[in-house]
Amino acid sequence: MLRRNHEDERGSAVVEFIVIGVGILIPLAYVVIAIASVIGAQAAAHQAVREAGRVFVRDSAVHAGQLRAQHAADIAFADHGLTVPGDALTITCPARCLEPGSSVAIDLRWDMPLPWMPAGLDALVSIPIRASSQFTVDDFRPAGV
């Protein structure tokens, strides 16, 4: 009697493994990869804002500072294996930019597509990545142009 029960279940482990592997483990692995990608993009955004602000407030000309700040943000994203659109980084000065003692706001807004999404769905399924920071131009540097 015991021998018959063992023979009836022969081969069911393969079926169970396929159901669990395909039905649970693969979607779970995708969720973990997607969460890791979002966390990496958020870290890249914070690093990009920090570096862009540091570069911008040390420059002597507004236009050159904006170009260098964008380049610093591109490098920060490249360090994480990402590329950011050119219009994602904005630099705002409430008063004259690069005047000693003035404040500069750096904002990054980007809608990150989830990894491995088909071309038609990547615009519909995206995660908003936001980072911003305020920087003060040093009082003891020459005024910007």
Side-chain angles (χ1 to χ4, degrees):
M1 185 88 142
L2 292 175
R3 181 171 273 240
R4 179 181 285 171
N5 288 341
H6 288 293
E7 290 175 4
D8 291 343
E9 293 184 17
R10 189 172 291 171
S12 65
V14 174
V15 175
E16 291 171 3
F17 178 75
I18 290 173
V19 168
I20 290 174
V22 173
I24 295 173
L25 294 178
I26 291 176
L28 183 65
Y30 178 77
V31 168
V32 169
I33 290 169
I35 289 172
S37 297
V38 170
I39 291 171
Q42 191 66 37
H46 285 289
Q47 180 183 357
V49 165
R50 184 177 59 245
E51 297 304 324
R54 288 178 180 172
V55 167
F56 183 76
V57 298
R58 289 185 181 139
D59 212 313
S60 60
V62 174
H63 182 66
Q66 289 174 336
L67 292 176
R68 288 187 180 111
Q70 181 63 48
H71 185 66
D74 291 340
I75 290 173
F77 268 86
D79 285 346
H80 292 270
L82 300 168
T83 56
V84 66
D87 60 346
L89 187 73
T90 57
I91 301 171
T92 309
C93 305
R96 283 195 56 188
C97 274
L98 300 179
E99 182 110 0
S102 67
S103 177
V104 176
I106 308 288
D107 294 315
L108 191 134
R109 297 183 176 278
W110 176 46
D111 292 330
M112 177 192 149
L114 288 176
W116 305 327
M117 291 302 284
L121 294 176
D122 61 352
L124 299 173
V125 183
S126 61
I127 303 296
I129 304 294
R130 309 287 185 253
S132 63
S133 190
Q134 290 280 111
F135 294 88
T136 303
V137 180
D138 190 21
D139 288 333
F140 302 106
R141 65 175 289 287
V145 176

